Amino acid sequence: DRFSASNPDVEVLLTGVPVISVENAQQIKKDAKLALTLATILILALLFYMLRRVRYLLLILLSLLFGGLIALAALAWIRSEVSLIVLGISSIMTGIAVNYPLHFLSHLRHKPTPRAVLQDIISPLVIGNITTVAAFSALIPLAAPALRDLGIFATFMLVGTILFVILFLPHLCEKKRIAQVIAPQTVDNEPEYIPRPPRRRWLYLSILFIATLILGYFSLSTHFNSDLRTLNYLSPIQQRVLANMAALQPPQHDTTQVYFTVTDSTPATTLQRALTYFPNLWWVDSQTLQQRAQRWNDFLARYSTTFTQVLPAAWEKSGFRPEALHPYETLSPDALDNYPEGLELLRNMNFAQQLVGSTLVVAQQLPIAEAEKRIADFHTADPEHFYAFTPRDMNETLAQSLADNFNYIGYVSGTLVFLFLWLSFRRLRYALIAFLPMLVTWLWILGTMHLLGLSFNLVNIILATFIFGQGDDYSIFMTEGLIYEYSRHRRILAHYKRSILFSAAIMFIGMGSLILAQHPALRSLGELTVVGMGAVVLLTYLIPPLLFGSSSKK
């Protein structure tokens, strides 16, 4: 800033990892404030419009706090520590957990007592909870600690919230006042309702089938973006600076960075082993270091007056701090006893970035044609202690690991959910009707993402699990409502649809507001939420009634 002020004709631009990191943090903070403010205002307005009472808002908050407390207690009991990032991601669980008190309180407007509400919604509420818990519990056996902690937190938060809604929430509602506000309505005086198949049912099913085939085809092209650089925010100035710097460097399209790592039990043995393969490494063995240290100390002894008097004065006169010369005045032989850990001076230099614990990393820019052979030769030289990789190898390994984990989650959780639906409904037809919207929704999400040019990444792929959990609950409520209307000839599906719509709107607003973010990672969360929740609600509203052959139209 001082230089720019005194030289207005010169433009000074700053870049580098610290600068980009700070700008990322500032942009995330700015985006989070905007999304949080917008989401809070809209969600509170939506809840107040739906429930019309501040007391109900407090009861929803109390239910979520109880579930969160149970989850934290479970983590503290099972795990000695947990990442704050995991807890931050787990906070999205409120979008699913809020379904339980929301369904209860919204149905309370149409029933005279909490007991009557529980009689109507206890079955879909519990079935939806168990299937969603089964889906998230599939995360617990995974090797990745973050996903395992996420599975534990999600499982116990959902269990804690449903227990609060069933056991405690009915006692916190004002039964007498509700009975006065809402006229009692018993089953006996309700008019009989005969469900009828939707008009043009086969036309709608044909359109859904064709759309699913098309989006299913495009879903095969949806990819996982493993390039972490695309998740960083770059301001227009940073983009210009990096582009100018890239133009100054010679083209390296036919080369790649290769990282050679050497690992052993201690830093000293690691360096000794590395010297066998990298003889030009400027770090030397301990015996040579002892000899050079002795020569240095002899040199200091011969010119002690110059080092203690003449050089410090000239050093300070040139503008350096006097204490900056102190480490060079002597090299204690005791520092070599714990080689190389004792050499703090050298470890504070650039080499410290290469020696991480007892692992040495040597980076080399090599031609792509030569890189694979060099990596293979390096592995063959000492398979136990040598390992080499390129950034592309690392990204592919990371992407494959995530793909394997989420494929496992999809297969296991999908199987558990379907089996429990079959067990709960006791009829294969009902289980298929409840499960099919989840399967079709996934194809629609993947296909739509490809058509819109969206992709999964390290951040938004976690959200896919939450969307699946939401769709699970919604589909079960729709199927239960259809069974109730078909068997008892009483209307209830309209209430279920209303609860589903408001629940989805909360998730849509809460996470979908991030689509306004400038940061790529946060914006990807908002984009997936908009696509995912839109598909979940649309298909949940359409598929079960069309397949069941009944409708809740008045």
Side-chain angles (χ1 to χ4, degrees):
D1 289 340
R2 290 194 300 268
F3 183 85
S4 299
S6 58
N7 299 272
D9 296 333
V10 180
E11 184 182 21
V12 181
L13 300 175
L14 190 65
T15 190
V17 173
V19 180
I20 295 176
S21 299
V22 169
E23 289 189 354
N24 268 265
Q26 291 174 342
Q27 189 61 44
I28 289 176
K29 185 177 180 180
K30 185 186 300 183
D31 290 339
K33 282 184 177 179
L34 172 64
L36 184 61
T37 302
L38 181 63
T40 301
I41 294 174
L42 293 178
I43 289 176
L44 286 178
L46 182 66
L47 287 174
F48 187 77
Y49 169 77
M50 177 183 178
L51 303 174
R52 307 294 175 91
R53 299 184 62 183
V54 177
R55 176 184 175 85
Y56 287 176
L57 298 180
L58 297 177
L59 290 177
I60 291 177
L61 179 61
L62 187 61
S63 303
L64 297 177
L65 288 177
F66 184 85
L69 183 63
I70 294 293
L72 288 175
L75 273 177
W77 178 54
I78 298 173
R79 302 269 293 166
S80 59
E81 58 183 19
V82 64
S83 169
L84 286 176
I85 297 176
V86 172
L87 293 182
I89 297 175
S90 301
S91 64
I92 308 175
M93 284 306 304
T94 57
I96 297 179
V98 75
N99 286 337
Y100 308 138
L102 193 60
H103 282 306
F104 181 88
L105 294 174
S106 63
H107 281 77
L108 198 58
R109 299 180 59 193
H110 307 281
K111 293 294 179 180
T113 64
R115 180 182 295 275
V117 173
L118 282 180
Q119 289 176 344
D120 279 350
I121 70 170
I122 188 68
S123 179
L125 209 61
V126 173
I127 294 175
N129 177 263
I130 294 177
T131 53
T132 307
V133 166
F136 282 105
S137 62
L139 294 169
I140 298 177
L142 295 179
L147 294 178
R148 188 166 60 243
D149 292 345
L150 181 61
I152 296 172
F153 187 92
T155 297
F156 281 94
M157 181 173 185
L158 292 176
V159 171
T161 305
I162 193 69
L163 289 177
F164 185 89
V165 170
I166 294 175
L167 300 179
F168 302 110
L169 191 58
H171 301 286
L172 299 176
C173 297
E174 301 176 21
K175 302 178 184 178
K176 294 181 180 180
R177 188 172 180 180
I178 293 170
Q180 294 172 357
V181 174
I182 304 175
Q185 191 176 30
T186 63
V187 174
D188 294 334
N189 59 24
E190 288 183 9
E192 185 179 19
Y193 168 69
I194 306 298
R196 300 181 183 278
R199 296 179 180 178
R200 301 176 181 177
R201 181 162 62 113
W202 293 109
L203 174 62
Y204 295 145
L205 285 174
S206 300
I207 294 174
L208 278 175
F209 181 73
I210 295 173
T212 302
L213 285 180
I214 296 174
L215 292 175
Y217 171 76
F218 286 113
S219 69
L220 300 176
S221 302
T222 305
H223 69 283
F224 180 88
N225 182 9
S226 59
D227 189 355
L228 301 182
R229 293 172 297 181
T230 60
L231 297 181
N232 276 330
Y233 169 78
L234 291 176
S235 64
I237 293 178
Q238 290 300 317
Q239 294 178 20
R240 181 160 61 93
V241 173
L242 293 177
N244 292 339
M245 290 178 61
L248 295 175
Q249 297 176 352
Q252 298 179 341
H253 301 300
D254 57 344
T255 63
T256 183
Q257 190 87 346
V258 180
Y259 297 92
F260 299 92
T261 66
V262 182
T263 304
D264 211 322
S265 55
T266 65
T269 55
T270 294
L271 293 170
Q272 291 281 23
R273 192 175 297 277
L275 287 170
T276 62
Y277 195 88
F278 300 103
N280 297 326
L281 197 64
W282 66 269
W283 199 283
V284 297
D285 58 82
S286 57
Q287 183 178 0
T288 304
L289 187 66
Q290 290 279 0
Q291 296 173 356
R292 294 181 179 179
Q294 186 61 46
R295 291 173 58 192
W296 172 252
N297 289 329
D298 292 342
F299 179 81
L300 289 179
R302 290 198 305 272
Y303 300 98
S304 60
T305 302
T306 302
F307 267 87
T308 57
Q309 299 178 15
V310 179
L311 190 57
W315 184 273
E316 187 173 2
K317 185 178 179 181
S318 300
F320 295 95
R321 292 181 300 169
E323 60 271 17
L325 187 61
H326 293 169
Y328 296 91
E329 293 178 356
T330 182
L331 183 62
S332 172
D334 297 336
L336 305 179
D337 295 339
N338 191 23
Y339 171 81
E341 294 91 327
L343 302 180
E344 293 299 330
L345 176 64
L346 294 177
R347 288 179 59 78
N348 290 333
M349 296 170 63
N350 187 51
F351 192 79
Q353 299 177 14
Q354 297 174 270
L355 186 61
V356 183
S358 59
T359 299
L360 177 70
V361 181
V362 179
Q364 294 181 358
Q365 193 78 19
L366 298 175
I368 295 177
E370 180 187 341
E372 292 186 6
K373 185 177 184 305
R374 285 286 304 275
I375 291 175
D377 294 342
F378 189 70
H379 291 165
T380 305
D382 191 346
E384 184 179 353
H385 302 93
F386 288 2
Y387 182 75
F389 62 93
T390 65
R392 180 179 177 182
D393 295 336
M394 181 178 64
N395 289 337
E396 288 179 352
T397 302
L398 179 64
Q400 187 60 46
S401 175
L402 281 172
D404 292 342
N405 280 335
F406 278 92
N407 285 337
Y408 160 81
I409 294 170
Y411 295 141
V412 173
S413 61
T415 302
L416 290 175
V417 168
F418 179 76
L419 291 177
F420 189 80
L421 287 175
W422 194 355
L423 181 66
S424 301
F425 292 129
R426 299 180 182 179
R427 292 185 64 177
L428 179 61
R429 176 170 174 261
Y430 293 160
L432 289 173
I433 290 175
F435 187 76
L436 194 60
M438 306 177 215
L439 181 61
V440 176
T441 295
W442 189 241
L443 295 177
W444 277 48
I445 291 174
L446 294 178
T448 306
M449 287 179 66
H450 174 73
L451 292 176
L452 296 178
L454 307 178
S455 61
F456 285 113
N457 55 53
L458 278 172
V459 177
N460 67 11
I461 194 151
I462 301 281
L463 190 61
T465 312
F466 295 94
I467 293 176
F468 181 83
Q470 289 281 60
D472 174 15
D473 287 344
Y474 298 163
S475 183
I476 291 172
F477 262 89
M478 287 294 294
T479 306
E480 281 281 355
L482 290 166
I483 295 174
Y484 182 94
E485 290 190 344
Y486 181 81
S487 59
R488 302 188 184 184
H489 292 182
R490 295 289 184 270
R491 296 182 183 275
I492 198 173
L493 194 60
H495 302 328
Y496 283 174
K497 283 185 175 181
R498 186 171 182 270
S499 298
I500 290 171
L501 183 61
F502 277 102
S503 172
I506 290 174
M507 184 75 172
F508 190 90
I509 294 172
M511 294 300 299
S513 60
L514 290 175
I515 200 172
L516 302 176
Q518 297 296 316
H519 196 280
L522 296 183
R523 188 171 61 251
S524 70
L525 287 173
E527 292 168 344
L528 182 59
T529 300
V530 171
V531 173
M533 294 308 299
V536 164
V537 175
L538 176 63
L539 295 175
T540 302
Y541 266 47
L542 291 178
I543 292 180
L546 290 174
L547 293 180
F548 205 88
S550 62
S551 173
S552 61
K553 293 182 180 181
K554 295 181 181 180

